[in-house]
Amino acid sequence: MKLRLALLGLAAFSLMASTTPATASTPTAPAPTPGLDPAGLQSALDDLHAAGMPGAFAEVRDAGRTWRGAAGVADLESGRPVRPDLLHRVGSITKTFTSAAVLQQVEQGRVRLDAPIGDYLPDLVPGERGRAVTVRMLLNHTSGFTEYIPYAFPSAFPAVSGADGPPSSKSLDENRYTHFEATDLIALGLAAPQSAEPGALPGVYSNTNYLLLGELLERVTGVPAEEYITRNVIERAGLRHTFFPTGPRIEGPHSKMYEALGGVIDPPRDYSVYTMSWDMTGAGLVSTMEDLNRFYRTLLGGRIISSASLAQMRRTVPVIALDGSTISYGLGLQKVEVPGCGTYWGNEGTVWGAGTVSMTREDGRRQMSIAINLMRWSRTQPIGDALSTLRLRTLGCSVSEQP
């Protein structure tokens, strides 16, 4: 549910809102810039590294042309450089994959978007709550179900979880190799006070929703959700480097992923080795920037779900994000409007130490995917401005600094 400081470590939240200090100047984007600007894109990556980001890499596509770039290091100890083709934990971008899988089941008549979730999962969401919350409400975060992550990692969020003492990394470190059962995590979210009434607007972002959708997929398909998504979304999109990890390690070339927990962990600690059972169908995927652009190009082109399902996915509502801002969210898909530059669709997210954003312009001509390997840095670091500028450049917007 995006509480400003209390929830600084949550799994999925807006890269722009969560990483830009309140005192930062605001880059403005007066108009789209046609074509690619390799020098400007690389300069923006270099500036982000110079501002304190250990490493960042990106792929930008424009009208059939592709640029890939990287700046900084994948390992602070060895100095190994980052590369544009590295694997990365992509956090809540996973939600778009999960949503597409659910919509496939809607197309096959096994799931109804506006049916109560209690019709499908009466054991997990019994009684009046199960009757009041629909599948659509889970997909667009209007269920009112509370975020479970502060209760799974209580030391990181003592203001929410009620843990003693100031925020610390104790829960993160203790659970590096923990196997969480999704049903236990769901129970944590449902046991907490509701964040809102079912269907109320604005909605409140919650990973509890997407764990329930994973359970829904398994119930109606008869196979684990990760298996269904792999066969029917990842493989259908032709992705070669996107997968749900089966253990704590990423198999293949990747960066270390440094978590600062808002300055609590100093120096930042590597969490690239981490069991993702704590949010598999909400934030568990590993991918590359090339694969993410291919995925959104295929999805928005109508080759994974039907045009009718895609229209449902694009029906947005206001949702309170993890930093307290309000975003425009559909069914696992976020809409971003940059004044004077265009409308973009995609998603973004983080896990411990890794952040990713992937956006496609509404006309399909421009795509960008960015990965960074430090999250929740100290607010004294000037990373936010540099990341905002990089994002606008990759979106194809002319950038000027507003005093």
Side-chain angles (χ1 to χ4, degrees):
M1 48 193 158
K2 293 197 170 187
L3 306 176
R4 284 192 184 278
L5 295 178
L7 304 188
L8 272 170
L10 285 184
F13 56 97
S14 166
L15 276 173
M16 289 290 288
S18 66
T19 56
T20 305
T23 57
S25 59
T26 304
T28 58
T33 302
L36 293 173
D37 175 16
L41 290 166
Q42 186 61 52
S43 176
L45 272 177
D46 292 339
D47 288 348
L48 178 58
H49 172 55
M53 180 60 61
F57 49 102
E59 180 188 90
V60 179
R61 296 174 55 88
D62 190 289
R65 296 179 59 208
T66 302
W67 173 87
R68 299 181 181 96
V73 298
D75 186 331
L76 287 169
E77 293 182 359
S78 70
R80 172 172 58 94
V82 289
R83 307 195 317 253
D85 61 346
L86 291 181
L87 296 164
H88 202 61
R89 298 193 190 274
V90 300
S92 278
I93 288 174
T94 305
K95 290 180 173 64
T96 311
F97 288 75
T98 299
S99 177
V102 171
L103 286 165
Q104 288 177 352
Q105 293 303 298
V106 172
E107 292 172 9
Q108 294 176 30
R110 292 176 176 168
V111 172
R112 291 180 296 121
L113 275 177
D114 295 307
I117 189 59
D119 287 0
Y120 305 101
L121 303 173
D123 51 329
L124 295 180
V125 195
E128 180 55 35
R129 296 178 88 182
R131 292 188 291 270
V133 172
T134 66
V135 174
R136 185 189 300 275
M137 292 175 191
L138 297 177
L139 286 162
N140 67 11
H141 296 295
T142 59
S143 70
F145 292 155
T146 297
E147 178 64 71
Y148 66 83
I149 291 176
Y151 304 97
F153 299 94
S155 77
F157 316 106
V160 178
S161 67
D164 293 333
S168 79
S169 66
K170 183 174 183 287
S171 296
L172 277 66
D173 299 326
E174 289 178 344
N175 288 306
R176 188 183 288 267
Y177 301 103
T178 297
H179 176 76
F180 288 100
E181 294 292 342
T183 52
D184 292 338
L185 296 171
I186 290 167
L188 289 176
L190 297 187
Q194 283 192 181
S195 60
E197 290 299 314
L201 295 178
V204 181
Y205 197 101
S206 173
N207 283 277
T208 305
N209 295 321
Y210 275 76
L211 290 194
L212 280 164
L213 290 166
E215 294 300 302
L216 170 65
L217 278 172
E218 181 167 352
R219 196 70 57 91
V220 299
T221 66
V223 299
E226 296 87 351
E227 181 179 332
Y228 179 86
I229 294 167
T230 298
R231 290 179 179 176
N232 295 279
V233 179
I234 294 172
E235 292 178 4
R236 184 177 296 189
L239 309 185
R240 297 179 296 169
H241 306 290
T242 301
F243 55 90
F244 288 100
T246 57
R249 298 184 182 277
I250 298 173
E251 299 299 328
H254 62 279
S255 173
K256 289 190 173 180
M257 300 168 189
Y258 297 98
E259 179 64 47
L261 203 63
V264 171
I265 306 173
D266 188 17
R269 190 172 305 138
D270 171 35
Y271 287 96
S272 58
V273 177
Y274 212 96
T275 301
M276 280 305 302
S277 61
W278 61 275
D279 197 8
M280 193 63 83
T281 51
L285 278 176
V286 172
S287 190
T288 62
M289 301 308 99
E290 180 182 12
D291 262 15
L292 291 182
N293 280 341
R294 179 186 293 273
F295 168 65
Y296 281 107
R297 189 162 64 250
T298 305
L299 174 72
L300 297 171
R303 297 192 295 277
I304 296 176
I305 56 176
S306 69
S307 58
S309 293
L310 191 58
Q312 292 287 344
M313 186 175 267
R314 283 172 153 164
R315 287 178 57 181
T316 62
V317 296
V319 170
I320 300 173
L322 295 173
D323 68 321
S325 67
T326 300
I327 59 176
S328 183
Y329 202 89
L331 307 186
L333 194 64
Q334 187 176 344
K335 180 182 181 181
V336 175
E337 296 185 87
V338 183
C341 189
T343 299
Y344 301 82
W345 295 91
N347 217 331
E348 50 196 324
T350 82
V351 296
W352 307 123
T356 316
V357 58
S358 185
M359 290 286 164
T360 296
R361 199 164 64 201
E362 196 159 49
D363 62 9
R365 290 175 57 86
R366 182 87 177 195
Q367 290 191 285
M368 58 80 97
S369 292
I370 303 170
I372 57 177
N373 65 358
L374 170 67
M375 284 311 303
R376 288 160 286 275
W377 50 83
S378 169
R379 289 176 177 266
T380 63
Q381 293 179 273
I383 294 174
D385 281 342
L387 182 58
S388 298
T389 297
L390 171 63
R391 179 165 173 164
L392 288 172
R393 286 198 182 280
T394 57
L395 289 173
C397 306
S398 300
V399 178
S400 62
E401 288 296 327
Q402 202 177 64

